[in-house]
Protein backbone atom coordinates (compact mmCIF):
# COMPACT_ATOMS: atom_id res chain seq x y z
CA UNK A 1 0.00 0.00 0.00
CA UNK A 2 1.30 3.47 -0.85
CA UNK A 3 2.25 5.54 2.20
CA UNK A 4 -0.08 8.46 3.02
CA UNK A 5 2.89 10.78 3.31
CA UNK A 6 6.64 10.75 2.78
CA UNK A 7 9.24 12.96 4.47
CA UNK A 8 12.88 12.80 3.41
CA UNK A 9 15.50 15.58 3.17
CA UNK A 10 14.66 15.86 -0.54
CA UNK A 11 10.99 15.12 -0.78
CA UNK A 12 7.84 15.83 1.21
CA UNK A 13 4.58 14.50 -0.21
CA UNK A 14 1.10 13.89 1.12
CA UNK A 15 -0.49 15.38 4.20
CA UNK A 16 2.06 14.92 6.95
CA UNK A 17 0.84 13.44 10.23
CA UNK A 18 3.41 14.91 12.60
CA UNK A 19 2.49 12.67 15.52
CA UNK A 20 3.08 9.63 13.36
CA UNK A 21 6.36 11.14 12.19
CA UNK A 22 7.58 11.50 15.79
CA UNK A 23 7.04 7.76 16.20
CA UNK A 24 8.49 6.86 12.81
CA UNK A 25 11.63 8.97 13.29
CA UNK A 26 11.94 8.14 17.00
CA UNK A 27 12.06 11.76 18.19
CA UNK A 28 10.44 13.23 21.32
CA UNK A 29 7.44 15.56 21.39
CA UNK A 30 8.36 19.05 22.62
CA UNK A 31 6.58 19.23 25.99
CA UNK A 32 5.39 22.22 27.99
CA UNK A 33 8.16 21.87 30.55
CA UNK A 34 10.85 22.32 27.88
CA UNK A 35 8.94 25.16 26.26
CA UNK A 36 8.73 26.94 29.62
CA UNK A 37 12.47 26.48 30.17
CA UNK A 38 13.30 28.06 26.82
CA UNK A 39 10.85 30.91 27.30
CA UNK A 40 12.17 31.62 30.77
CA UNK A 41 15.72 31.89 29.50
CA UNK A 42 14.61 34.04 26.55
CA UNK A 43 12.62 36.33 28.81
CA UNK A 44 9.78 36.15 26.31
CA UNK A 45 7.65 33.57 24.56
CA UNK A 46 7.62 32.71 20.89
CA UNK A 47 4.51 32.02 18.84
CA UNK A 48 6.32 29.10 17.13
CA UNK A 49 6.52 27.43 20.54
CA UNK A 50 3.02 28.37 21.72
CA UNK A 51 1.52 27.07 18.48
CA UNK A 52 3.66 23.93 18.36
CA UNK A 53 5.18 24.96 15.04
CA UNK A 54 8.31 23.64 16.74
CA UNK A 55 6.91 20.36 17.95
CA UNK A 56 9.63 17.76 18.37
CA UNK A 57 13.21 17.37 19.56
CA UNK A 58 16.13 15.10 20.24
CA UNK A 59 17.82 15.43 23.64
CA UNK A 60 16.98 19.09 24.07
CA UNK A 61 16.33 18.27 27.73
CA UNK A 62 19.91 17.07 28.20
CA UNK A 63 21.35 20.06 26.37
CA UNK A 64 19.36 22.49 28.52
CA UNK A 65 20.41 20.72 31.70
CA UNK A 66 24.06 21.02 30.68
CA UNK A 67 23.53 24.67 29.85
CA UNK A 68 22.11 25.26 33.34
CA UNK A 69 25.30 23.67 34.70
CA UNK A 70 27.34 26.23 32.75
CA UNK A 71 28.18 24.25 29.62
CA UNK A 72 27.53 26.36 26.54
CA UNK A 73 26.37 24.73 23.35
CA UNK A 74 26.51 25.90 19.72
CA UNK A 75 23.66 26.35 17.29
CA UNK A 76 23.88 24.88 13.81
CA UNK A 77 21.55 25.23 10.87
CA UNK A 78 21.77 25.63 7.08
CA UNK A 79 20.54 26.02 3.55
CA UNK A 80 20.85 24.08 0.30
CA UNK A 81 21.20 26.72 -2.43
CA UNK A 82 19.16 25.31 -5.31
CA UNK A 83 17.28 28.57 -5.89
CA UNK A 84 16.03 31.71 -4.20
CA UNK A 85 15.12 31.59 -0.54
CA UNK A 86 11.41 31.10 0.09
CA UNK A 87 9.35 31.88 3.14
CA UNK A 88 9.45 28.26 4.37
CA UNK A 89 13.25 28.35 4.68
CA UNK A 90 13.26 31.33 6.96
CA UNK A 91 10.88 29.74 9.51
CA UNK A 92 13.64 27.75 11.26
CA UNK A 93 16.03 30.70 10.83
CA UNK A 94 13.67 33.11 12.61
CA UNK A 95 13.51 30.68 15.48
CA UNK A 96 17.29 30.26 15.44
CA UNK A 97 17.57 34.02 15.98
CA UNK A 98 15.31 33.76 19.03
CA UNK A 99 17.45 30.92 20.39
CA UNK A 100 20.70 32.77 19.80
CA UNK A 101 19.37 35.84 21.60
CA UNK A 102 18.07 33.69 24.46
CA UNK A 103 21.18 31.61 25.06
CA UNK A 104 23.92 33.88 23.73
CA UNK A 105 25.75 31.06 21.94
CA UNK A 106 27.74 30.81 18.69
CA UNK A 107 25.87 29.84 15.56
CA UNK A 108 27.17 27.97 12.53
CA UNK A 109 25.34 28.19 9.21
CA UNK A 110 26.21 25.72 6.46
CA UNK A 111 25.46 26.45 2.82
CA UNK A 112 25.57 23.26 0.80
CA UNK A 113 26.54 24.21 -2.74
CA UNK A 114 28.08 20.73 -3.06
CA UNK A 115 24.83 18.95 -2.10
CA UNK A 116 22.70 20.84 -4.60
CA UNK A 117 25.31 20.39 -7.33
CA UNK A 118 25.35 16.63 -6.74
CA UNK A 119 21.58 16.38 -6.46
CA UNK A 120 20.31 18.58 -9.28
CA UNK A 121 21.22 17.41 -12.79
CA UNK A 122 20.89 20.87 -14.29
CA UNK A 123 22.84 22.96 -11.80
CA UNK A 124 26.59 23.64 -12.06
CA UNK A 125 28.77 24.06 -8.99
CA UNK A 126 29.37 27.64 -10.03
CA UNK A 127 25.63 28.31 -9.98
CA UNK A 128 24.96 26.69 -6.60
CA UNK A 129 27.98 28.47 -5.11
CA UNK A 130 26.75 31.85 -6.34
CA UNK A 131 23.21 31.14 -5.14
CA UNK A 132 24.65 30.15 -1.76
CA UNK A 133 26.00 33.65 -1.17
CA UNK A 134 22.67 35.12 -2.30
CA UNK A 135 20.80 32.87 0.17
CA UNK A 136 23.20 33.95 2.93
CA UNK A 137 21.84 37.49 2.56
CA UNK A 138 18.40 36.28 3.65
CA UNK A 139 19.91 34.72 6.72
CA UNK A 140 21.91 37.81 7.67
CA UNK A 141 18.84 40.01 7.06
CA UNK A 142 17.15 38.35 10.04
CA UNK A 143 19.52 40.25 12.33
CA UNK A 144 22.21 37.78 13.44
CA UNK A 145 25.23 39.08 15.34
CA UNK A 146 28.38 38.80 13.16
CA UNK A 147 30.56 38.37 16.25
CA UNK A 148 28.99 35.03 17.04
CA UNK A 149 27.53 33.88 13.71
CA UNK A 150 29.69 31.94 11.26
CA UNK A 151 28.51 31.21 7.75
CA UNK A 152 30.35 28.90 5.38
CA UNK A 153 29.74 27.68 1.86
CA UNK A 154 30.93 24.08 1.66
CA UNK A 155 33.18 24.21 -1.39
CA UNK A 156 34.92 27.32 0.00
CA UNK A 157 35.45 25.74 3.43
CA UNK A 158 36.13 22.24 2.21
CA UNK A 159 39.61 21.87 3.68
CA UNK A 160 38.28 22.18 7.23
CA UNK A 161 35.04 20.29 6.63
CA UNK A 162 36.56 17.44 4.64
CA UNK A 163 38.84 16.42 7.50
CA UNK A 164 35.82 16.05 9.78
CA UNK A 165 33.59 14.50 7.11
CA UNK A 166 35.96 11.63 6.34
CA UNK A 167 36.11 10.72 10.04
CA UNK A 168 32.33 10.42 9.96
CA UNK A 169 32.15 8.73 6.54
CA UNK A 170 34.49 5.97 7.69
CA UNK A 171 31.89 4.93 10.28
CA UNK A 172 28.83 4.87 8.00
CA UNK A 173 28.23 1.90 5.72
CA UNK A 174 26.59 2.02 2.32
CA UNK A 175 23.70 -0.08 3.58
CA UNK A 176 23.03 2.32 6.42
CA UNK A 177 23.09 5.27 3.98
CA UNK A 178 20.63 3.40 1.77
CA UNK A 179 18.33 2.63 4.68
CA UNK A 180 18.33 6.16 6.06
CA UNK A 181 18.33 8.17 2.82
CA UNK A 182 16.81 5.78 0.30
CA UNK A 183 19.90 5.78 -1.95
CA UNK A 184 19.87 3.18 -4.73
CA UNK A 185 22.32 1.70 -7.24
CA UNK A 186 21.61 4.68 -9.47
CA UNK A 187 22.50 7.29 -6.87
CA UNK A 188 25.81 8.95 -7.71
CA UNK A 189 28.64 8.25 -5.29
CA UNK A 190 28.93 11.93 -4.43
CA UNK A 191 25.52 11.67 -2.78
CA UNK A 192 26.61 8.59 -0.84
CA UNK A 193 29.39 10.67 0.72
CA UNK A 194 27.31 13.82 1.02
CA UNK A 195 25.60 13.08 4.40
CA UNK A 196 29.03 13.14 6.05
CA UNK A 197 29.39 16.76 4.90
CA UNK A 198 26.08 17.79 6.44
CA UNK A 199 27.02 15.93 9.61
CA UNK A 200 30.47 17.57 9.86
CA UNK A 201 29.29 20.93 11.32
CA UNK A 202 27.86 19.03 14.31
CA UNK A 203 31.48 18.42 15.28
CA UNK A 204 33.01 21.61 13.86
CA UNK A 205 32.41 23.77 17.00
CA UNK A 206 34.31 21.20 19.09
CA UNK A 207 37.25 21.39 16.69
CA UNK A 208 37.25 25.19 16.45
CA UNK A 209 36.77 25.79 20.16
CA UNK A 210 39.09 22.99 21.30
CA UNK A 211 36.57 21.56 23.78
CA UNK A 212 33.58 19.23 23.54
CA UNK A 213 30.68 21.35 22.40
CA UNK A 214 27.21 19.93 21.92
CA UNK A 215 25.29 21.38 18.98
CA UNK A 216 21.60 22.18 18.81
CA UNK A 217 20.02 22.15 15.37
CA UNK A 218 16.82 24.07 14.68
CA UNK A 219 15.42 22.88 11.32
CA UNK A 220 12.26 21.43 9.81
CA UNK A 221 11.82 17.72 10.50
CA UNK A 222 12.90 16.76 6.94
CA UNK A 223 16.56 17.18 7.95
CA UNK A 224 16.35 14.74 10.85
CA UNK A 225 17.77 11.67 9.01
CA UNK A 226 21.19 13.37 9.03
CA UNK A 227 21.03 13.82 12.80
CA UNK A 228 20.25 10.14 13.23
CA UNK A 229 23.49 9.27 11.46
CA UNK A 230 25.65 11.79 13.27
CA UNK A 231 24.18 10.94 16.69
CA UNK A 232 25.26 7.38 16.09
CA UNK A 233 28.76 8.28 14.93
CA UNK A 234 29.75 11.28 17.11
CA UNK A 235 30.21 9.33 20.37
CA UNK A 236 32.36 6.77 18.51
CA UNK A 237 34.65 9.68 17.58
CA UNK A 238 34.61 11.05 21.13
CA UNK A 239 32.15 13.92 20.58
CA UNK A 240 28.77 14.65 22.20
CA UNK A 241 25.56 13.63 20.45
CA UNK A 242 23.87 16.42 18.57
CA UNK A 243 20.55 17.74 19.88
CA UNK A 244 17.80 18.92 17.54
CA UNK A 245 14.57 20.87 17.62
CA UNK A 246 12.19 20.30 14.73
CA UNK A 247 9.50 22.40 13.10
CA UNK A 248 6.57 21.52 10.87
CA UNK A 249 6.50 22.71 7.26
CA UNK A 250 5.01 25.92 6.04
CA UNK A 251 2.57 24.30 3.61
CA UNK A 252 2.46 25.03 -0.10
CA UNK A 253 0.19 27.95 -0.90
CA UNK A 254 -1.83 25.62 -3.07
CA UNK A 255 -2.93 23.35 -0.23
CA UNK A 256 -2.06 21.26 2.80
CA UNK A 257 -0.24 18.46 0.97
CA UNK A 258 3.57 18.48 0.99
CA UNK A 259 5.76 21.39 2.02
CA UNK A 260 6.25 24.70 0.37
CA UNK A 261 9.04 24.04 -2.03
CA UNK A 262 10.26 25.38 -5.34
CA UNK A 263 9.89 21.89 -6.81
CA UNK A 264 6.12 21.95 -6.25
CA UNK A 265 5.91 24.92 -8.62
CA UNK A 266 6.56 28.65 -8.56
CA UNK A 267 2.92 29.41 -7.84
CA UNK A 268 2.85 27.43 -4.60
CA UNK A 269 5.81 29.36 -3.26
CA UNK A 270 6.56 32.91 -2.15
CA UNK A 271 10.18 33.97 -2.39
CA UNK A 272 11.86 36.59 -0.23
CA UNK A 273 12.61 38.50 -3.42
CA UNK A 274 9.00 38.61 -4.70
CA UNK A 275 7.50 42.04 -5.39
CA UNK A 276 4.31 43.18 -3.61
CA UNK A 277 2.42 42.62 -6.89
CA UNK A 278 3.72 39.06 -7.21
CA UNK A 279 2.71 38.29 -3.62
CA UNK A 280 -0.75 39.72 -4.23
CA UNK A 281 -1.19 37.78 -7.44
CA UNK A 282 0.03 34.46 -6.03
CA UNK A 283 -2.07 34.65 -2.87
CA UNK A 284 -5.21 35.76 -4.68
CA UNK A 285 -4.87 33.24 -7.45
CA UNK A 286 -3.35 30.19 -5.80
CA UNK A 287 -3.90 30.21 -2.02
CA UNK A 288 -6.09 27.23 -1.26
CA UNK A 289 -9.36 28.44 0.21
CA UNK A 290 -11.43 26.91 2.98
CA UNK A 291 -14.27 29.23 2.04
CA UNK A 292 -17.63 28.17 0.63
CA UNK A 293 -18.47 28.30 -3.05
CA UNK A 294 -21.00 31.10 -2.87
CA UNK A 295 -21.14 34.23 -0.78
CA UNK A 296 -24.55 33.25 0.53
CA UNK A 297 -23.38 29.83 1.65
CA UNK A 298 -20.19 31.24 3.18
CA UNK A 299 -22.12 33.80 5.22
CA UNK A 300 -24.51 31.09 6.37
CA UNK A 301 -22.19 28.18 7.08
CA UNK A 302 -18.82 29.91 7.49
CA UNK A 303 -15.39 28.91 6.16
CA UNK A 304 -12.97 26.25 7.34
CA UNK A 305 -9.80 27.95 8.62
CA UNK A 306 -8.18 24.59 9.40
CA UNK A 307 -7.70 23.79 5.72
CA UNK A 308 -7.34 27.35 4.47
CA UNK A 309 -3.81 28.22 3.30
CA UNK A 310 -4.13 31.91 4.15
CA UNK A 311 -5.11 31.07 7.71
CA UNK A 312 -2.36 28.45 7.99
CA UNK A 313 0.21 30.97 6.78
CA UNK A 314 -1.08 33.62 9.19
CA UNK A 315 -0.49 31.18 12.02
CA UNK A 316 3.22 31.32 11.05
CA UNK A 317 3.44 35.06 10.36
CA UNK A 318 0.89 36.76 12.66
CA UNK A 319 2.54 36.83 16.07
CA UNK A 320 -0.40 38.34 17.94
CA UNK A 321 -2.53 35.52 19.38
CA UNK A 322 -5.56 37.72 19.86
CA UNK A 323 -5.55 38.94 16.28
CA UNK A 324 -5.14 35.40 14.98
CA UNK A 325 -7.96 34.07 17.14
CA UNK A 326 -10.24 36.85 15.90
CA UNK A 327 -9.45 35.96 12.29
CA UNK A 328 -10.13 32.30 13.04
CA UNK A 329 -13.47 32.98 14.67
CA UNK A 330 -14.67 35.46 12.09
CA UNK A 331 -13.70 33.22 9.19
CA UNK A 332 -15.38 30.23 10.77
CA UNK A 333 -18.57 32.18 11.44
CA UNK A 334 -18.75 33.48 7.89
CA UNK A 335 -18.18 37.12 8.85
CA UNK A 336 -14.78 37.15 7.13
CA UNK A 337 -14.75 36.20 3.47
CA UNK A 338 -12.18 34.22 1.56
CA UNK A 339 -11.02 37.31 -0.35
CA UNK A 340 -10.71 39.22 2.91
CA UNK A 341 -8.55 36.66 4.69
CA UNK A 342 -6.32 36.60 1.60
CA UNK A 343 -6.04 40.37 1.81
CA UNK A 344 -4.96 40.14 5.46
CA UNK A 345 -2.24 37.66 4.48
CA UNK A 346 -1.07 39.77 1.52
CA UNK A 347 -0.65 42.80 3.78
CA UNK A 348 1.14 40.80 6.44
CA UNK A 349 3.59 39.26 3.95
CA UNK A 350 4.23 42.48 2.08
CA UNK A 351 4.92 44.41 5.29
CA UNK A 352 7.40 41.74 6.31
CA UNK A 353 9.02 41.53 2.86
CA UNK A 354 9.43 45.29 2.50
CA UNK A 355 11.63 45.40 5.60
CA UNK A 356 13.32 42.10 4.81
CA UNK A 357 14.29 43.20 1.31
CA UNK A 358 15.87 46.40 2.66
CA UNK A 359 17.88 44.46 5.23
CA UNK A 360 18.78 41.89 2.59
CA UNK A 361 20.38 44.54 0.39
CA UNK A 362 22.22 46.00 3.38
CA UNK A 363 23.55 42.53 4.14
CA UNK A 364 25.64 42.54 0.92
CA UNK A 365 28.19 44.85 2.51
CA UNK A 366 28.17 42.85 5.78
CA UNK A 367 28.64 39.43 4.21
CA UNK A 368 32.43 39.32 4.73
CA UNK A 369 32.05 39.72 8.47
CA UNK A 370 30.14 36.43 8.65
CA UNK A 371 31.96 34.17 6.22
CA UNK A 372 34.37 31.41 7.23
CA UNK A 373 36.80 30.35 4.50
CA UNK A 374 39.83 28.08 4.54
P1 LIG B 1 16.94 23.45 2.52
O1 LIG B 1 17.62 24.52 1.77
O2 LIG B 1 16.04 22.52 1.80
O3 LIG B 1 16.08 24.11 3.67
C1 LIG B 1 16.62 25.10 4.55
C2 LIG B 1 15.89 25.02 5.87
O4 LIG B 1 14.50 25.26 5.68
C3 LIG B 1 13.73 24.17 6.16
N1 LIG B 1 12.55 24.11 5.28
C4 LIG B 1 11.32 24.46 5.69
N2 LIG B 1 10.87 24.84 6.89
C5 LIG B 1 9.54 25.11 7.01
N3 LIG B 1 8.68 25.01 5.96
C6 LIG B 1 9.08 24.63 4.73
N4 LIG B 1 8.23 24.56 3.72
C7 LIG B 1 10.48 24.34 4.55
N5 LIG B 1 11.24 23.92 3.49
C8 LIG B 1 12.49 23.81 3.97
C9 LIG B 1 14.65 22.98 6.13
O5 LIG B 1 14.28 22.00 7.06
C10 LIG B 1 15.97 23.63 6.51
O6 LIG B 1 16.05 23.79 7.91
N6 LIG B 1 20.57 20.05 3.22
C11 LIG B 1 19.95 21.24 3.77
C12 LIG B 1 20.95 22.33 4.11
C13 LIG B 1 21.58 22.14 5.46
C14 LIG B 1 20.91 22.22 6.71
C15 LIG B 1 21.92 21.97 7.68
C16 LIG B 1 19.60 22.48 7.07
C17 LIG B 1 22.88 21.86 5.71
N7 LIG B 1 23.11 21.78 7.05
C18 LIG B 1 21.59 21.99 9.03
C19 LIG B 1 19.27 22.49 8.42
C20 LIG B 1 20.26 22.25 9.38
C21 LIG B 1 18.93 21.77 2.79
O7 LIG B 1 18.97 21.52 1.61
O8 LIG B 1 18.00 22.64 3.36
Amino acid sequence: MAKEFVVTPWEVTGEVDYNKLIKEFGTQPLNDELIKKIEKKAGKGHHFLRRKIFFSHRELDILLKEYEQGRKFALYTGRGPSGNTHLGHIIPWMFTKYLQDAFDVPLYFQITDDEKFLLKPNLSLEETNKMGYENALDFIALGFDPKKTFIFVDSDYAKTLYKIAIQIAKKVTGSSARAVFGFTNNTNIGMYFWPAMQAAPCILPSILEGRKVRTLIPAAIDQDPYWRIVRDVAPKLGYPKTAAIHCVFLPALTGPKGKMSTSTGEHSTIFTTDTPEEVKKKVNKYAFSGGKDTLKEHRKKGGNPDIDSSYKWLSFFEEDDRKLKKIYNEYKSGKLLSGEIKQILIEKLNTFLKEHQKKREKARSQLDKFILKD
Side-chain angles (χ1 to χ4, degrees), residues 117-346:
F117 165 67
L118 289 166
L119 186 71
K120 304 273 176 182
N122 300 328
L123 287 179
S124 68
L125 186 56
E126 218 182 346
E127 284 167 327
T128 57
N129 183 272
K130 192 160 168 243
M131 187 50 80
Y133 288 97
E134 277 296 309
N135 290 171
L137 302 177
D138 288 297
F139 189 69
I140 295 171
L142 298 174
F144 291 99
D145 179 350
K147 285 197 219 67
K148 46 188 181 187
T149 305
F150 309 98
I151 301 177
F152 48 92
V153 179
D154 281 353
S155 70
D156 294 325
Y157 197 46
K159 193 171 158 198
T160 304
L161 291 176
Y162 185 69
K163 286 181 188 154
I164 307 171
I166 55 171
Q167 308 284 335
I168 298 167
K170 196 172 176 179
K171 303 250 178 262
V172 183
T173 62
S175 65
S176 146
R178 281 166 180 258
V180 174
F181 297 101
F183 296 154
T184 66
N185 277 353
N186 295 326
T187 307
N188 70 57
I189 58 169
M191 283 308 289
Y192 270 83
F193 176 70
W194 155 251
M197 287 295 280
Q198 180 150 332
C202 298
I203 290 173
L204 180 69
S206 295
I207 308 272
L208 295 181
E209 291 185 34
R211 64 183 183 95
K212 291 188 179 168
V213 186
R214 202 186 286 276
T215 44
L216 171 63
I217 307 170
I221 188 106
D222 60 336
Q223 301 298 311
D224 188 71
Y226 293 105
W227 321 142
R228 254 174 270 159
I229 293 269
V230 72
R231 282 168 52 80
D232 185 37
V233 171
K236 294 180 190 158
L237 300 173
Y239 297 103
K241 279 187 175 181
T242 284
I245 179 163
H246 310 106
C247 67
V248 303
F249 302 107
L250 178 70
L253 208 49
T254 40
K257 292 206 168 132
K259 64 170 176 173
M260 188 173 75
S261 149
T262 319
S263 27
T264 55
E266 294 267 316
H267 51 276
S268 67
T269 305
I270 290 188
F271 296 97
T272 58
T273 43
D274 279 354
T275 63
E277 293 70 36
E278 280 167 328
V279 171
K280 187 174 171 192
K281 197 173 136 201
K282 286 185 192 177
V283 173
N284 277 335
K285 200 158 173 200
Y286 300 113
F288 182 78
S289 172
K292 297 287 181 301
D293 288 343
T294 64
L295 178 66
K296 200 170 154 205
E297 205 193 346
H298 187 89
R299 290 277 190 228
K300 198 167 148 208
K301 295 190 182 148
N304 182 355
D306 297 315
I307 58 162
D308 188 278
S309 289
S310 301
Y311 179 76
K312 281 254 152 124
W313 278 46
L314 283 166
S315 71
F316 284 79
F317 291 101
E318 176 53 71
E319 291 175 32
D320 186 331
D321 291 344
R322 288 219 317 255
K323 271 193 197 164
L324 188 71
K325 184 91 194 128
K326 189 163 177 264
I327 293 168
Y328 186 92
N329 290 339
E330 291 188 352
Y331 193 57
K332 208 171 166 74
S333 74
K335 188 172 174 205
L336 199 65
L337 301 176
S338 194
E340 289 169 334
I341 196 170
K342 286 188 175 190
Q343 191 51 37
I344 296 172
L345 178 65
I346 291 166

Side-chain angles (χ1 to χ4, degrees), residues 18 27 34 108 287 320 354:
Y18 289 101
T27 67
L34 284 174
Y108 295 85
D320 186 331
K354 192 174 168 203

Side-chain angles (χ1 to χ4, degrees), residues 33-41 64-65 68:
E33 193 192 329
L34 284 174
I35 292 178
K36 276 201 196 104
K37 263 195 185 180
I38 300 174
E39 290 185 337
K40 193 167 163 219
K41 187 74 198 68
L64 291 179
K65 215 169 264 162
E68 281 162 8

